[in-house]
Amino acid sequence: MFDLDLWREIFQSINMNRTRSLLSGFTVAFAILLFAILFGIANGLQNTFQEAFGTDANNSIVIFPGTTSKAHKGLQVGRRIQFTNEDREFILDKFEDKVQFITSKVNRSVTASFKGEKNNYELRGVYPEYMFIENNVIKEGRYINHNDLDNNAKVVVIGRTVEEDLFFKETAIGKYINLSGIQYKIVGVFTDDEGDSEESVIYMPITTTQFVYGNNDFVDLMHLTYNPEMSSDEAMAFGNSIKNSLKDKFDVARSDQRAIRMWNMAEGTKQVDIMTTSLTFIILIIGFGTLIAGIVGISNIMIFIVKERTKEIGIRKALGASPRSIVSIILIESIIITAIAGYIGLLIGVGVLELVGPSLKEYFITNPGVSNSLVVGATITLIIAGTIAGYLPAKKASQIKPIVALRND
Amino acid sequence: MLKINQLHKSYPIGDSSLHVLKGIDLSVEEGEMVAIMGSSGSGKSTLLNIIGMLDEADSGEYILDGLPIKNLTEKKAAVYRNKFLGFIFQSFNLINYKNALENVALPLYYQGMKRKERQEKAMFHLEKVGLADWAKHLPKELSGGQNQRVAIARALAANPKLLLADEPTGALDTTTSYEIMAFIQQLNDEGKTILMVTHEEDIANMCKRIVRLRDGVIMEDKKVEQVRAEQYV
Ligand SMILES: Nc1ncnc2c1ncn2[C@@H]1O[C@H](COP(=O)(O)OP(=O)(O)OP(=O)(O)O)[C@@H](O)[C@H]1O
Ligand SMILES: [Mg+2]
């Protein structure tokens, strides 16, 4: 199949008509350069979005109790709603398949001391599942477990900052920490990638907290994560149905906006989703548009080239060139010019992105770039584009009647 | 060699059409050297182009070397042009970015000949027209007469049976014209059949037969005593 002579013909034609080749190559290279840069910038914008919202955009729902704002079923306005341990079970019973993890939570502020060191920290009475909701990582020891809850065990898990503050270089595991006069055994140290404030926290089994601080089963808030396979719309609907069931349970009017309050991450997720979708859409339009423009551009150039070569084609035909051989030379020339020039454009584009990429951070563009798969895809597309762009002009050239071609001098 | 019967050709011009050839009957034997004459616009080139399969007749019969030429596919026409016919044009029609040797070798390329063989053969024909030393030169570096000789070498390269020339000396001065005619006569001496269109009586008289066209028909067809071109060179 490989016809050396045909390639020699084509390279001679490209080489001997350098201005023409360079000009058409330049157009293609420029289109692809533009494509790469636009694409890279769009990618960079998307990266920025994912960085800003993506890591936080988990599947959390937080439910707070409030005060009623409407009279309902003979109950007065201004009634305080109080969650208890039972409410967690209530939600689990009702929505088990949609809940991934759920915890009730009691928050207190405590003064903690060890030997002479002393400091104020946030105390959170929680269920073991809380660790997964917060994405805490155990650095040493273990987390709170259900056994601790059943026994109202006087154990705590402390954040990395607490350990650094109070224990210096000593290891905290197994030591007893004093919280408002009561000694608790430290069973674990955790870290949290959200930073210092989230690591200045002490976790305690919720039952212990409830026993020590009030001897009741009151809960300050509930925190759950929903099944991550849910779409943001489904998650919003899920949040609302939890809210409604709780309103019914506490005899609160459905229209009461203050009695049960909710903070649903799905709202933010939904916005990020919309943002990402529209960005992807824009990227697609850019890609498609540049490509079409490129193909039309090459096609135009090829038509021009064919026009310029009309006479030559006529001569070749008079000397016995078959229509197929005419299609071949025009088409392959188009493909070669498109592929080489396009690839050069792509390389320059990628180079430019690498070069100026880091300085674009302040314009909300993070890591602009094109992936390897895109480069491969673009190269293949280029060859296809060259074929499409060259085909019509080549076909037209092969249909030129030699007599017409030879007459116009 | 070739036989033409009641050949008609018209060109559409706007809504009407221009009837250029109105029933041509012509037959040419092998080894003839025919001049086609006539006033400008009388259809000489049209006739030659139809004979050369560069154009198609509207009606009538055309048999070339025993083959009826009718409704040929482009592909077949290409093969016939390559095998049977050699063309010489007034404006040479060389490919401007190919040197003399490459131009001469081009018909051989379309015959599917190997590169080396092609170049040897092309060189042989360039030598024959006395341009061996100019083989690597581009057309723009050659004079009109030299270019026409390259074109003749090219027309000969594929060893065609019939040589068609449309005003081969039209762009050349008298001396160069005679040089070219001397070549063409020599080819005819060697047995090639030659058909040429010309405006000039002296050139026509260097052929062996003159066909005169007027208003799309042949008004005169006569054999002449060939004037040899060498004596003027
Ligand atoms: N493609 C075409 N479309 C329309 N008219 C054409 C076409 N080709 C030729 N003609 C017309 O047909 C007539 C014959 O043209 P042709 O080229 O055969 O003349 P000719 O005898 O070779 O003239 P000349 O001596 O000037 O070369 C002319 O009137 C010309 O204008
Ligand atoms: Mg003419």
Side-chain angles (χ1 to χ4, degrees):
Chain A
M1 256 333 274
F2 188 78
D3 183 351
L4 188 64
D5 280 326
L6 178 66
W7 289 86
R8 214 176 253 131
E9 279 291 313
I10 290 159
F11 276 109
Q12 184 181 39
S13 157
I14 291 177
N15 195 32
M16 297 302 283
N17 300 286
R18 261 182 226 152
T19 323
R20 187 178 76 195
S21 309
L22 276 178
L23 223 62
S24 45
F26 179 78
T27 316
V28 176
F30 195 73
I32 299 299
L33 170 71
L34 219 64
F35 167 76
I37 289 179
L38 286 176
F39 211 94
I41 287 177
N43 262 347
L45 275 176
Q46 196 159 25
N47 289 343
T48 309
F49 267 109
Q50 260 156 19
E51 211 166 77
F53 301 101
T55 56
D56 267 14
N58 52 33
N59 44 343
S60 282
I61 293 179
V62 182
I63 313 160
F64 314 88
T67 317
T68 56
S69 62
K70 283 183 181 161
H72 187 64
K73 285 189 179 173
L75 294 164
Q76 280 187 334
V77 176
R79 179 168 55 96
R80 261 187 61 87
I81 303 296
Q82 176 65 59
F83 289 165
T84 60
N85 286 344
E86 178 203 60
D87 296 317
R88 176 178 168 275
E89 314 298 329
F90 172 77
I91 292 174
L92 261 182
D93 281 352
K94 230 173 149 126
F95 302 104
E96 180 139 36
D97 53 328
K98 288 182 177 162
V99 173
Q100 189 186 27
F101 301 112
I102 181 165
T103 181
S104 307
K105 208 168 139 194
V106 174
N107 284 334
R108 292 287 180 275
S109 183
V110 293
T111 307
S113 60
F114 178 75
K115 291 187 179 161
E117 299 300 324
K118 202 177 193 183
N119 212 339
N120 285 326
Y121 298 103
E122 189 184 336
L123 172 69
R124 294 177 185 169
V126 295
Y127 281 82
E129 285 82 359
Y130 192 71
M131 180 185 172
F132 300 110
I133 296 175
E134 273 290 336
N135 266 327
N136 291 142
V137 176
I138 287 296
K139 192 182 140 222
E140 243 181 301
R142 64 169 177 86
Y143 202 68
I144 287 160
N145 61 30
H146 282 281
N147 213 16
D148 299 333
L149 263 74
D150 293 345
N151 300 325
N152 290 359
K154 290 207 172 51
V155 295
V156 290
V157 176
I158 63 173
R160 191 184 51 85
T161 314
V162 180
E163 185 190 32
E164 278 171 15
D165 287 351
L166 302 183
F167 294 87
F168 301 107
K169 302 242 147 27
E170 279 184 71
T171 171
I173 302 284
K175 304 266 161 52
Y176 284 82
I177 189 171
N178 187 319
L179 303 180
S180 318
I182 300 171
Q183 302 276 9
Y184 296 85
K185 187 178 182 182
I186 297 170
V187 294
V189 178
F190 72 90
T191 59
D192 187 309
D193 59 7
E194 278 167 69
D196 254 15
S197 68
E198 281 297 309
E199 289 177 334
S200 306
V201 170
I202 298 169
Y203 292 129
M204 189 184 280
I206 184 167
T207 51
T208 314
T209 324
Q210 285 168 333
F211 177 74
V212 171
Y213 298 87
N215 194 16
N216 54 30
D217 65 349
F218 289 177
V219 164
D220 290 343
L221 57 90
M222 287 184 282
H223 194 161
L224 64 89
T225 54
Y226 51 82
N227 186 340
E229 264 148 42
M230 276 197 246
S231 73
S232 45
D233 281 330
E234 282 168 343
M236 299 278 283
F238 172 51
N240 285 335
S241 50
I242 295 178
K243 226 197 284 195
N244 285 336
S245 338
L246 285 172
K247 280 173 181 171
D248 292 351
K249 182 170 184 285
F250 286 97
D251 293 324
V252 170
R254 283 275 174 110
S255 57
D256 194 329
Q257 298 299 325
R258 299 239 180 116
I260 310 275
R261 297 202 328 255
M262 177 172 285
W263 185 60
N264 192 341
M265 267 297 201
E267 274 172 69
T269 312
K270 189 171 172 157
Q271 274 162 358
V272 175
D273 279 356
I274 292 172
M275 217 52 216
T276 312
T277 312
S278 37
L279 257 175
T280 310
F281 194 65
I282 292 170
I283 290 175
L284 275 180
I285 289 184
I286 289 174
F288 209 67
T290 331
L291 204 69
I292 297 283
I295 292 179
V296 171
I298 309 165
S299 217
N300 269 333
I301 295 163
M302 289 316 290
I303 288 172
F304 170 77
I305 288 180
V306 165
K307 204 159 200 136
E308 199 200 75
R309 294 178 75 172
T310 306
K311 199 179 175 76
E312 180 197 331
I313 290 163
I315 297 170
R316 285 177 183 270
K317 282 194 145 187
L319 298 180
S322 65
R324 224 185 104 164
S325 76
I326 301 289
V327 171
S328 300
I329 49 173
I330 305 280
L331 197 58
I332 297 179
E333 189 173 320
S334 161
I335 294 172
I336 290 176
I337 291 180
T338 315
I340 294 178
Y343 201 72
I344 290 173
L346 196 65
L347 286 185
I348 297 176
V350 171
V352 168
L353 286 175
E354 294 263 304
L355 217 67
V356 302
S359 61
L360 289 178
K361 187 101 186 173
E362 54 184 303
Y363 301 106
F364 301 108
I365 294 163
T366 312
N367 280 333
V370 282
S371 59
N372 281 341
S373 59
L374 185 78
V375 171
V376 172
T379 312
I380 294 171
T381 314
L382 278 177
I383 292 172
I384 295 173
T387 314
I388 297 174
Y391 185 74
L392 280 181
K395 193 80 201 157
K396 217 170 148 181
S398 80
Q399 282 160 353
I400 291 176
K401 286 221 177 328
I403 177 66
V404 177
L406 292 175
R407 193 183 297 123
N408 66 356
D409 47 335
Chain B
M1 179 88 240
L2 73 85
K3 196 164 165 50
I4 288 169
N5 245 330
Q6 280 307 302
L7 195 84
H8 285 265
K9 175 78 185 177
S10 27
Y11 289 111
I13 295 191
D15 294 335
S16 61
S17 80
L18 180 68
H19 204 168
V20 179
L21 300 180
K22 304 171 180 165
I24 303 279
D25 296 309
L26 178 71
S27 75
V28 177
E29 300 304 320
E30 199 157 336
E32 279 199 88
M33 183 167 178
V34 184
I36 300 170
M37 296 198 70
S39 56
S40 188
S42 57
K44 307 179 294 291
S45 297
T46 306
L47 178 60
L48 199 76
N49 289 332
I50 290 172
I51 292 173
M53 282 186 269
L54 299 176
D55 206 352
E56 256 182 283
D58 297 334
S59 66
E61 199 183 24
Y62 169 31
I63 295 166
L64 174 64
D65 205 34
L67 280 164
I69 306 298
K70 186 97 194 166
N71 296 330
L72 287 184
T73 61
E74 272 282 349
K75 205 172 149 188
K76 268 235 166 74
V79 174
Y80 287 173
R81 283 197 285 264
N82 188 264
K83 274 218 314 236
F84 290 132
L85 305 167
F87 294 94
I88 302 166
F89 304 91
Q90 178 179 0
S91 53
F92 325 132
N93 281 338
L94 298 171
I95 291 179
N96 58 15
Y97 61 84
K98 286 181 178 292
N99 65 33
L101 187 71
E102 288 163 341
N103 264 293
V104 176
L106 200 56
L108 302 173
Y109 165 69
Y110 286 120
Q111 272 184 352
M113 196 180 279
K114 289 241 157 45
R115 187 174 153 84
K116 199 160 173 302
E117 201 184 339
R118 226 158 60 205
Q119 288 191 323
E120 277 167 11
K121 209 157 181 182
M123 200 61 205
F124 168 80
H125 286 287
L126 268 185
E127 262 162 29
K128 220 172 153 193
V129 295
L131 287 177
D133 294 341
W134 299 86
K136 298 287 174 197
H137 287 254
L138 292 175
K140 63 168 183 253
E141 297 160 352
L142 301 174
S143 73
Q146 285 172 323
N147 271 325
Q148 195 59 299
R149 282 192 279 166
V150 174
I152 291 173
R154 182 179 66 182
L156 293 174
N159 198 23
K161 294 202 165 108
L162 179 60
L163 212 58
L164 301 173
D166 195 345
E167 301 187 41
T169 60
L172 307 173
D173 62 40
T174 316
T175 323
T176 323
S177 293
Y178 290 162
E179 267 174 39
I180 294 296
M181 279 314 289
F183 263 119
I184 296 178
Q185 282 182 340
Q186 195 188 323
L187 293 172
N188 180 245
D189 295 344
E190 290 167 12
K192 287 246 176 308
T193 313
I194 291 160
L195 239 74
M196 82 162 65
V197 168
T198 180
H199 267 124
E200 294 146 280
E201 287 292 340
D202 55 340
I203 298 292
N205 281 315
M206 290 175 176
C207 297
K208 294 171 174 169
R209 176 180 164 191
I210 299 177
V211 172
R212 283 181 209 274
L213 292 186
R214 184 193 283 167
D215 292 332
V217 291
I218 294 176
M219 58 160 292
E220 188 190 36
D221 184 349
K222 63 164 190 201
K223 303 246 174 193
V224 292
E225 188 62 37
Q226 188 180 43
V227 178
R228 297 301 290 186
E230 298 97 79
Q231 58 190 310
Y232 300 108
V233 179

